[in-house]
Amino acid sequence: MRTIINLNEGWLFEKGVTAFASPETVNLPHSWNAVDGQDGGNDYFRGSCLYQKKLNKADLPEADQYYLEIRGANSSADVSVNGKQLAHHDGGYSTWRVDITEALADENEINILVDNAPNETVYPQMADFTFYGGLYRDVNLVCVNKTHFDLDYFGGPGLKVTPEVTGTDAKVELEAYVTNPAEGQTLRFTVLDKEGNTVAEAETTETKAVLDIAGVHLWNGRKDPYLYKAEASIVVNGEVVDTVALRFGCRTFKIDPENGFILNGEEYPLRGVSRHQDRWGVGNALLPCHHEEDIDLIMEVGATTIRLAHYQHDQYFYDLCDEKGLVIWAEIPYI
């Protein structure tokens, strides 16, 4: 079964270097522009900084493959394990993963060189916000069976959920993406209600299934932000070897030139704010409590919608928006 280990604690860090001279110890999320990126002078440090983490393989759960999951490194990064270069990534706002299995030894040194210097690869390089440098979101180790839901495709979850409301019911299409499929495997798809009760399920040799929800409970904005959960499991010889889950809402919407935004057949005025992922003294290295405080303030002013400028925000904040019933204007041109 999949095990996810958070690696946020105890990284060595040094600014402006590609090899350590006098590192300090930091915890993630971390940005080296938490102060100089907010003084308004547009003279904050932009360059290469080095993060290092040591891992003892004996402390890790047994698994066939180990993926380093980096949920935000701005804006380019290189990953090496025990001196072996494994990956380069351009783009500072999306999750990406590196298969580090073959590079692991008994004792391991993980280096992540992050660079927020201007370049011609990462877009944009001029904007109305600071290009904070750092490992500013969680870093995890994902430990999986050889047969698992896809971890290599652009940081995705390996499961796609597409609900369609039809009258008082809903059809939910679940599509799974499996790496190294096993002979004779089946996929078990389940939809659960808000209380955790199973409302629909199927087991199939196919990677796609359509499940019916009778008498669907609609996600209805701030009035009633009801969420279901979709689970998918890979079963091999009667044993579950991997499971993923996503929450989702069932609703209809359209935009009418005369009547505005229509949610579930009724006019739903969109009044809201624009949000950037930073705050004073922290930069963009937000903790869950910061996301929660932001969402509480947005709810307090009576917002029904939110514009997420101008990039992918932390998935935790998207989840909070769904829970609270905010219609998301997800402007994400920058990855």
Side-chain angles (χ1 to χ4, degrees), residues 52-73:
Q52 184 182 96
K53 177 81 172 179
K54 295 187 184 296
L55 283 180
N56 187 329
K57 192 172 183 181
D59 296 332
L60 304 179
E62 289 189 14
D64 295 325
Q65 288 183 273
Y66 298 89
Y67 281 82
L68 190 68
E69 179 180 72
I70 299 167
R71 296 199 168 182

Side-chain angles (χ1 to χ4, degrees), residues 214-284:
V216 65
H217 193 140
L218 298 179
W219 184 93
N220 201 27
R222 290 196 57 166
K223 300 175 185 176
D224 187 8
Y226 191 92
L227 296 173
Y228 290 90
K229 182 167 73 171
E231 289 184 350
S233 298
I234 304 171
V235 182
V236 180
N237 298 323
E239 178 186 358
V240 175
V241 299
D242 197 16
T243 298
V244 292
L246 293 174
R247 293 188 307 169
F248 68 97
C250 296
R251 76 288 178 271
T252 65
F253 70 91
K254 67 177 182 178
I255 298 174
D256 185 278
E258 300 297 329
N259 300 306
F261 186 76
I262 309 299
L263 178 64
N264 300 326
E266 298 181 358
E267 293 182 23
Y268 192 78
L270 297 181
R271 303 185 181 96
V273 299
S274 178
R275 188 238 191 188
H276 273 287
Q277 59 171 11
D278 61 357
R279 62 173 48 213
W280 181 253
V282 176
N284 62 349

Side-chain angles (χ1 to χ4, degrees), residues 37-239:
Q38 297 185 319
D39 63 6
N42 200 32
D43 55 354
Y44 57 96
F45 177 81
R46 300 185 69 180
S48 294
C49 298
L50 185 60
Y51 294 85
Q52 184 182 96
K53 177 81 172 179
K54 295 187 184 296
L55 283 180
N56 187 329
K57 192 172 183 181
D59 296 332
L60 304 179
E62 289 189 14
D64 295 325
Q65 288 183 273
Y66 298 89
Y67 281 82
L68 190 68
E69 179 180 72
I70 299 167
R71 296 199 168 182
N74 203 36
S75 51
S76 298
D78 291 276
V79 172
S80 64
V81 177
N82 300 325
K84 182 179 181 181
Q85 172 74 19
L86 296 183
H88 174 82
H89 182 266
D90 291 312
Y93 304 102
S94 55
T95 295
W96 51 288
R97 305 185 184 103
V98 183
D99 185 349
I100 65 172
T101 310
E102 297 300 320
L104 288 178
D106 291 338
E107 300 291 335
N108 300 282
E109 181 181 283
I110 299 174
N111 285 336
I112 305 178
L113 184 67
V114 185
D115 188 357
N116 69 334
N119 61 61
E120 296 181 355
T121 303
V122 179
Y123 181 78
Q125 288 301 325
M126 294 184 64
D128 60 348
F129 57 91
T130 298
F131 302 113
Y132 296 100
L135 288 176
Y136 70 96
R137 292 185 189 149
D138 289 351
V139 172
N140 298 315
L141 188 68
V142 185
C143 316
V144 291
N145 188 279
K146 180 181 179 181
T147 299
H148 57 269
F149 291 103
D150 189 7
L151 290 164
D152 292 301
Y153 188 72
F154 295 104
L159 176 65
K160 183 172 70 173
V161 182
T162 309
E164 181 182 359
V165 176
T166 55
T168 59
D169 305 327
K171 292 185 178 297
V172 182
E173 181 181 277
L174 304 176
E175 185 172 4
Y177 304 88
V178 179
T179 298
N180 299 319
E183 184 177 352
Q185 75 175 26
T186 59
L187 286 167
R188 185 179 298 157
F189 296 106
T190 308
V191 172
L192 302 102
D193 64 17
K194 189 175 182 179
E195 289 72 37
N197 303 307
T198 298
V199 297
E201 59 184 338
E203 190 161 341
T204 175
T205 57
E206 303 296 322
T207 57
K208 185 184 294 187
V210 177
L211 275 61
D212 295 319
I213 303 177
V216 65
H217 193 140
L218 298 179
W219 184 93
N220 201 27
R222 290 196 57 166
K223 300 175 185 176
D224 187 8
Y226 191 92
L227 296 173
Y228 290 90
K229 182 167 73 171
E231 289 184 350
S233 298
I234 304 171
V235 182
V236 180
N237 298 323
E239 178 186 358

Side-chain angles (χ1 to χ4, degrees), residues 281-296:
V282 176
N284 62 349
L286 301 186
L287 297 171
C289 62
H290 299 134
H291 293 292
E292 292 159 9
E293 184 177 52
D294 281 359
I295 203 76
D296 287 344

